[in-house]
Amino acid sequence: MSPCHPKFPAVRRAAAAAATVALLVPLAAACGDDDDSAGKEGGGAGGKNVRLTVLAASSLTDVFATAEKAYEKEHPGTDLTVSAAGSQELAAQVKQGSPADVLVTADTKTMDGLKAETGAPTVIAKNRLVIATREGNPDRIKGLKDLADRGLKVVLADDTVPVGRYSKEVLDRQGVEVKPVSKEANVRSVQSKVELGEADAGIVYRTDAATAPGKVDAVEIPDAQNAVASYPAATLKGSENDAAAAAFVKWLSGPEAQKILRDAGFQKP
C-alpha cells in the first residue's frame, strides 16, 4: 500500500516525512560548506588572507614599493606592508618585539647581531657607494679626496648606520679626513640634505642617487676605493605567518624580484 493512500496510518506517514527531512538536512549543510570554501579560494594559506610586514633598509624604499605591487599581483590574498628605516633602527624594533614577518638590512653585520630573532638569512642584492652632489656638481667634486675641502659642506650617515660605516671605511682607507656638518640616521636623510641645498655633498648608495635625477649628481667612486654593501633577507621568528614570510624571502631571490632589483641599479648577490 502506498504511503499516500488514504488508508495508510497517519503515524507511519509522519515518520516517513521526518526521515526524509533528516536525510536532507546534512546534504544542505554540506552544500553550504562547499559554497563557503569556494568563496575563500584565491586567498593566502588555508584560504585566508595573509598580511605580511616587511622591515626594509631605507635604501630599499623605492625598489620595494615596486616589488610589493609585483608580489601582491602574483600572490592574491597576500597584503604586504613595507616599513623602511635605517638598519640599526630596524634592529632595535626587532629586539623590542615589534610585530613583523621579514627583515632586510643593508649589511650582514646588523643581521648577524639578530641571530636569535631571525631565520637563516639570504643575501638578495649588493650595492656600492657614490658621492652625491648638488645638481650639476657646481663644486666640481671629482673624488673622495675633494671631500676634505673645508670649504665644502659635507654630510654623512652616522657610524651606527651601514652606509655610515661603509663611508668611514672608504674614507679611512684613502686617508681622507672629513668634518661633516651633520651625521644622519639613514641614507635617505643624507641625500635629502644634498637635494635641499643644505649640504654640498654626501656619500650615499648608487641606487639612492639614481632615484633623484635632476636633483643630485652622482660622482662614481672607483671599485678599488669603494665598499660593497650586501643586503641579507630573513624571516623573523616572532612572525605569525611563517610559511608566507618564508615564501616572500624565497621570492626575493627569484627571477622576477631579481629583475626588479637589477632595474633599480642593485647588483647581483
Side-chain angles (χ1 to χ4, degrees):
M1 181 183 294
S2 170
C4 296
H5 194 281
K7 294 183 179 180
F8 193 89
V11 174
R12 294 181 63 185
R13 287 201 300 271
T20 301
V21 171
L23 289 171
L24 290 176
V25 168
L27 288 174
C31 291
D33 289 344
D34 288 343
D35 290 342
D36 290 343
S37 298
K40 293 179 181 177
E41 289 182 2
K48 297 179 181 178
N49 290 340
V50 175
R51 293 182 180 275
L52 289 180
T53 297
V54 179
L55 304 180
S58 292
S59 49
L60 295 168
T61 300
D62 293 271
V63 70
F64 264 36
T66 302
E68 177 182 344
K69 293 177 182 177
Y71 192 79
E72 289 179 342
K73 182 178 180 180
E74 187 179 323
H75 299 79
T78 298
D79 180 20
L80 285 182
T81 297
V82 178
S83 178
S87 295
Q88 83 290 351
E89 294 179 50
L90 301 179
Q93 291 178 34
V94 171
K95 289 181 179 179
Q96 290 166 7
S98 297
D101 305 285
V102 174
L103 173 67
V104 189
T105 61
D107 67 334
T108 55
K109 181 178 180 179
T110 300
M111 186 67 79
D112 288 345
L114 296 169
K115 289 181 179 179
E117 289 86 8
T118 70
T122 301
V123 174
I124 62 165
K126 292 187 177 181
N127 212 343
R128 289 182 181 273
L129 304 178
V130 297
I131 301 170
T133 73
R134 290 181 292 157
E135 183 183 5
N137 191 8
D139 298 297
R140 298 185 180 181
I141 296 169
K142 296 180 180 179
L144 292 170
K145 291 186 178 180
D146 292 332
L147 299 181
D149 186 342
R150 293 294 186 266
L152 286 178
K153 293 180 180 179
V154 179
V155 62
L156 299 173
D158 192 81
D159 295 350
T160 60
V161 188
V163 69
R165 287 199 298 272
Y166 294 135
S167 298
K168 186 177 186 304
E169 176 186 330
V170 299
L171 290 169
D172 288 350
R173 201 160 56 222
Q174 296 304 309
V176 178
E177 184 179 359
V178 175
K179 299 291 185 182
V181 293
S182 70
K183 287 194 172 185
E184 302 299 315
N186 58 65
V187 68
R188 285 306 173 94
S189 294
V190 173
Q191 180 155 302
S192 178
K193 291 279 188 180
V194 179
E195 287 183 28
L196 295 173
E198 296 176 13
D200 300 314
I203 297 180
V204 302
Y205 295 117
R206 179 182 292 165
T207 53
D208 287 286
T211 67
K215 295 181 179 179
V216 301
D217 281 10
V219 177
E220 292 289 333
I221 300 173
D223 286 349
Q225 300 175 11
N226 218 322
V228 179
S230 295
Y231 290 74
T235 58
L236 290 171
K237 293 181 179 178
S239 171
E240 296 182 355
N241 302 292
D242 294 349
F248 178 69
V249 170
K250 183 177 181 180
W251 181 82
L252 288 173
S253 294
E256 184 173 3
Q258 287 298 303
K259 183 179 185 305
I260 292 171
L261 288 162
R262 295 296 88 69
D263 289 346
F266 288 86
Q267 299 175 337
K268 293 181 179 180

